[in-house]
Amino acid sequence: MAISLVITPEISQQRGFEIAQRTGATLMHSAPVNGQYLQLSPTGLALCDSEQPKQRLRVDFTAGKQGFRLRQHGQAREAIVRACGIGKAPKLHIVDATAGLGHDAFVLASHGAIVTMLERSVVVAALLRDGLQRAEQEGAHHITSRLTLIQTEAVDWLNQSDWPAADAVYLDPMYRPARRKAAAAKPLAMLEKLLEQQQQNNENLLTAALKAASKRVVVKRQRLAPTLGQAPPNFSITGRSTRFDVYIPG
Ligand SMILES: C[S@@+](CC[C@H](N)C(=O)[O-])C[C@H]1O[C@@H](n2cnc3c(N)ncnc32)[C@H](O)[C@@H]1O
């Protein structure tokens, strides 16, 4: 079912139409009584929920936790950066095949990687595109210029692309139920609700990634979660709550 898009009076109809066209959303002037909807206001595009009026989810690369990660840049090399092998080759082309809100892709690009982001949800892709546009306006052009967003099913894109599609393919396919408990994760719980009908095709995703990557495939998992596919990774980098499984294509 199409999601609703509410635009506030300050926003031009044209901008509303553009987002409605990309997302298949139905334009409305007030919030629906039930369920999730998108709201476009001067602060950007947000995912909202009529049942939780205080919650909203917006992609913001320069404030909050993501802004902190950005400011820490250079002080500590994050595990994700080491797992993707960026230290050895800063201009690596990485395909982030499950871009989501783009947090990981933004970190990779801030360390010099050229990142192609693939996201299959039209709503998530719209939130991400909006966050990238605001980051650009807020002075992060040196990072956003290394990021390209494509709204597509990653398995199809990876299988159809010329080989090799990238030096590395990065996968983080699932929002994890355990995250729901943490108060800080409430916006992520909204995303889990949005995506709960999505079919998982993780085994196919890993197979396609291994064909498309020339140097490595990196899979983000919860620290104690099973591997994504049947095959064991070549090595893993384990942090406090997260593990990065690294596969070297054979
Ligand atoms: C856990 S989130 C990724 C979070 C991301 N790493 C970040 O830092 O924000 C997973 C995302 O991958 C997307 N996804 C899952 N499978 C996909 C596929 N086969 N093709 C494209 N996108 C996919 C989902 O729609 C969801 O937005």
Side-chain angles (χ1 to χ4, degrees), residues 75-171:
Q75 293 180 28
R77 237 160 29 92
E78 294 197 30
I80 182 177
V81 175
R82 285 182 279 129
C84 290
I86 290 183
K88 293 174 190 148
K91 283 241 161 96
L92 228 52
H93 176 211
I94 301 175
V95 173
D96 178 350
T98 55
L101 300 180
H103 293 151
D104 291 332
F106 205 80
V107 168
L108 295 172
S110 74
H111 282 82
I114 312 291
V115 186
T116 302
M117 299 180 285
L118 311 179
E119 171 54 51
R120 70 177 168 191
S121 157
V122 286
V123 172
V124 177
L127 292 168
L128 178 51
R129 185 169 286 110
D130 178 71
L132 289 168
Q133 282 164 357
R134 274 181 288 106
E136 169 113 11
Q137 287 156 10
E138 287 160 13
H141 175 76
H142 58 297
I143 300 173
T144 54
S145 60
R146 296 195 206 111
L147 290 160
T148 305
L149 170 61
I150 303 172
Q151 191 273 307
T152 186
E153 163 56 58
V155 175
D156 297 342
W157 191 93
L158 290 168
N159 281 333
Q160 282 160 19
S161 59
D162 292 336
W163 191 91
D167 296 306
V169 176
Y170 178 74
L171 304 176

Side-chain angles (χ1 to χ4, degrees), residues 96 98 104 170-174 176 179 218-221:
D96 178 350
T98 55
D104 291 332
Y170 178 74
L171 304 176
D172 174 19
M174 280 176 293
R176 292 155 280 260
R179 284 183 183 174
V218 178
V219 183
K220 182 178 183 178
R221 306 295 288 156

